[in-house]
Structure formats: C-alpha cells, structure tokens
Amino acid sequence: MQHITFHRPDDFHVHLRQGPDVGHYARDARHAGFARVLVMPNTLPPIVDAAGLSGYRREIEVAAPGLKALMTFKIRPDDKNPGADRIRLTALKKAGAVAGKLYPEGVTTHSADGIRRLDDVWGVVALMEELDLVLCLHGEVPQAFSLDREKEFVPWLERLRQSFPRLRIVLEHVSSADGVQAVKDCGALTAGTLTAHHLLFTLDDMVGGKLDPHLFCKPLLKRPEDRQALLDAAFSGSPQWFFGSDSAPHAREDKEASLCSAGCYTMPVSLSLLVQLFEDHGVLDKLEGFVSRFGAEFYGLSQNQDTVTFAKEPWTVSKMYHNVVPLCSGQTLNWSLTGG
Ligand code: NCD
Ligand code: ZN
C-alpha cells in the first residue's frame, strides 16, 4: 500500500504547557494532523477552575487556528465545604470541561499537589459522575516499585468502577499487561488510552544499552510481554482502546540532565509511527477506529468529517523542535502526512 486515507484523528492526551511555548506545541499538534486534542491540566499553575480553563483554551485556539482543545481540570482534594466543590465543578462543566484528571501525589511531572488517597477526592468524584464529567486517571501508585506502579493501581481503579457505576473512566497511557486486563474487566464505561511509544518500545530501548533520556516517561516503558498486551489491545478493534499520545515536551537541558524530567515529545512523529506499526502487523484496517473513532465515541463527540492522507514517502524528523528533542530525532520515517 502506498497511500492511506482516514477520518481526521484526535489525540486524547497531550501536554501543551504554559507561557510562550503553548503556541509552538499547539501548532505542532495541528501540523501533525489532529483535529482535537485532550489537554492535560498539569500546567504551572494547574488548571483547576472555570476561569483558568477558559483562558487556557483561548490561548491554545488563538495560537493554533483549526485545532480544537478539549479541556480538562486537575482534581484537587475535596473542599471542606462541599458546596464550594459543587459550584466550582458546575462552572467547569459550563465552561466546557470534558474531564477531570487525577494525579496521585508526586507520580509524575508537576504532580506535587496530587492526591494521597482516593477517600480525599470521593466527594469530587461523586460530583463528576453526577455532572457526567469523564474521570481520567494517571494510574500509578507512587510508593510502589517503578515497574509495579500501574499494577498496584488496579485496586484503585476497581474501587472507583464499583463505587461509581455511571462514571466514564479512562486509564491513561496504559503500559502493562495488568493495566490492559483491568480495563477490559471494568467493561464498556471504562477505556484505556495507548501511546505510540509504549506500543513501540520496551524498557530495554531506554536502558538496555546506553541510557536514552528521550525515552524516559511515566509510566515507564515495560517488559516485552507488557508491550505485547498493549499491541493486542490496540489491534483488537475494541472501542475500549484509543489513542492518546501523552506527548510531553521538556526543554533539552531538562532531559539531557543529571535529573532527567519524565516525558517524551512524540507529537511530530506519533501518527507516522502508528501507520508504520499497524502496517507492519497487517492491521491497517484497525487504525482508523483507534485514532479517529473510538475516542470521539467515548467522549460523546461526533467523528471528524474531513480526512488525512499518509503516503509512503520517507521524511527525516527534525533534530529539535523549539529546544525540545522529539522522539525519533533525526531518524527517517516511512510515512508522510501529505493531505489534510
Ligand atoms: C508528563 C508530563 O511531562 O507532563 N510526563 C510523562 O512522563 N508522561 C506527565 C504524565 O502524563 O505523566
Ligand atoms: Zn501525560
């Protein structure tokens, strides 16, 4: 096959940061071919209320015309006064928030203000179910051993699933066979996002030879059998699985450093890599559901009407985008976005 055309895709997990960089990253998302991006709220300061959310959305959409920002807020512990949370969440919903993101404390970039115990956010999560806001989970327990953090989060997911039967829940950037199984077991109102880098790489790609800081992300890349479980999920054609790049830019000096920040800048390359991956496995027919349909359906959005076309034409990834080293920096990839 030399060309592939499919409905314009969406990316259900991106970091666009704050300040002057927002425009760069938002425009990269548009140039990569995405119609809509679900914007994570772990900015400095975080997105926690309607005014912050509306201002951030405006900034993104002004910087990148044509890109639709689907907004999230960061979940904070329940207010002592439950009336205050109701007012804040109702205003967030009215301002267009589609989801709230739960970060356990200290689990990843800018999560020092995260939560310690599920009980601390019980009231907010109950309100989210009532208001039909999606709950997005960074599904790792920070105290656990790095490779087991997602596995040890599974009881948190199960408790949420059982306690809030109408709540839509997304386990973000699923990285392990245990995470895959947990999402499947939770049924249709639960979904998992998958990144291109977790589908393509294992821990050995990061640390098996010389250390590659540009593959360091949370959750960590894992074992070959975990990767296989992610591939099976992505290729299954089940609407429980859709694409979220977790594109997470950090300045070069923060990655090539003695204390390296977690996150891979995958935005410029994710789609090209996914076309290649699905082609290599003979499942190109499953790509459109994964990148253009199931996420929209889960979030209750209509499918994008226009299309993108990728052609089998080699291109070389820039070494650097705005002082950020992207995934596959300087490498030649086979599939180019040529239309749309
Ligand atoms: C993300 C970031 O840098 O904001 N980092 C990462 O390693 N994925 C946060 C996150 O999604 O964990
Ligand atoms: Zn992320």
Side-chain angles (χ1 to χ4, degrees):
M1 173 154 351
Q2 294 303 313
H3 290 91
I4 177 168
T5 296
F6 47 95
H7 283 100
R8 186 174 293 284
D10 302 313
D11 183 341
F12 282 94
H13 185 134
V14 303
H15 299 272
L16 300 180
R17 309 306 186 201
Q18 58 281 314
D21 293 331
V22 169
H24 292 139
Y25 305 140
R27 283 190 289 278
D28 284 353
R30 185 63 188 149
H31 291 151
F34 295 104
R36 297 174 287 208
V37 290
L38 187 73
V39 183
M40 292 297 128
N42 64 333
T43 45
L44 296 175
I47 305 303
V48 292
D49 59 23
L53 181 135
S54 301
Y56 192 29
R57 180 178 42 218
R58 206 171 313 120
E59 217 182 319
I60 296 163
E61 293 187 347
V62 165
L67 184 72
K68 171 110 175 91
L70 305 169
M71 303 305 290
T72 69
F73 59 91
K74 196 182 222 179
I75 295 177
R76 296 193 305 181
D78 293 351
D79 199 288
K80 300 231 170 355
N81 167 10
D85 280 334
R86 180 172 290 278
I87 290 167
R88 188 170 58 87
L89 265 74
T90 307
L92 277 162
K93 172 92 185 180
K94 206 166 154 220
V98 298
K101 175 83 182 275
L102 186 155
Y103 292 94
E105 185 186 38
V107 77
T108 189
T109 307
H110 307 158
S111 61
D113 57 353
I115 69 130
R116 291 199 177 152
R117 304 170 326 132
L118 274 183
D119 293 322
D120 294 342
V121 294
W122 212 250
V124 166
V125 175
L127 272 169
M128 288 174 62
E129 181 182 48
E130 184 187 321
L131 296 170
D132 200 22
L133 288 160
V134 172
L135 173 65
C136 297
L137 298 170
H138 185 113
E140 291 192 286
V141 175
Q143 294 78 18
F145 178 65
S146 292
L147 291 174
D148 295 331
R149 287 180 185 175
E150 187 169 288
K151 176 182 170 160
E152 297 207 13
F153 188 85
V154 169
W156 292 43
L157 172 64
E158 289 170 348
R159 187 171 163 221
L160 287 162
R161 183 65 292 157
Q162 281 155 19
S163 307
F164 301 103
R166 288 176 294 115
L167 182 67
R168 281 175 291 156
I169 302 177
V170 182
L171 189 63
E172 297 292 336
H173 39 53
V174 179
S175 65
S176 66
D178 296 288
V180 169
Q181 192 56 48
V183 168
K184 282 194 208 159
D185 292 346
C186 282
L189 282 187
T190 311
T193 54
L194 297 168
T195 77
H197 49 295
H198 288 94
L199 287 168
L200 279 162
F201 302 112
T202 68
L203 191 58
D204 263 11
D205 293 297
M206 183 174 82
V207 298
K210 287 194 172 182
L211 174 71
D212 183 354
H214 301 293
L215 282 178
F216 175 57
C217 66
K218 300 296 179 76
L220 283 179
L221 299 166
K222 297 208 167 50
R223 302 171 185 82
E225 53 271 34
D226 293 304
R227 175 175 172 242
Q228 188 57 52
L230 307 181
L231 291 171
D232 292 344
F235 301 157
S236 66
S238 156
Q240 276 187 293
W241 301 102
F242 51 86
F243 178 58
S245 69
D246 194 14
S247 179
H250 291 275
R252 178 176 193 164
E253 56 274 19
D254 294 329
K255 293 292 290 177
E256 299 177 1
S258 58
L259 289 174
C260 165
S261 298
C264 305
Y265 193 46
T266 58
M267 182 57 74
V269 296
S270 280
L271 276 180
S272 175
L273 291 172
L274 286 175
V275 177
Q276 181 77 56
L277 177 75
F278 279 63
E279 183 192 33
D280 289 345
H281 286 80
V283 288
L284 272 176
D285 59 317
K286 296 289 196 296
L287 181 65
E288 182 166 53
F290 181 64
V291 297
S292 313
R293 206 175 110 210
F294 301 145
E297 280 173 8
F298 189 85
Y299 276 90
L301 307 167
S302 55
Q303 193 170 334
N304 300 312
Q305 285 310 300
D306 60 338
T307 59
V308 291
T309 298
F310 279 79
K312 204 174 248 179
E313 285 169 15
W315 64 289
T316 301
V317 182
S318 298
K319 288 219 162 87
M320 193 101 98
Y321 286 76
H322 346 287
N323 197 36
V324 174
V325 178
L327 191 75
C328 301
S329 170
Q331 293 178 29
T332 298
L333 306 185
N334 289 334
W335 286 93
S336 307
L337 178 65
T338 56

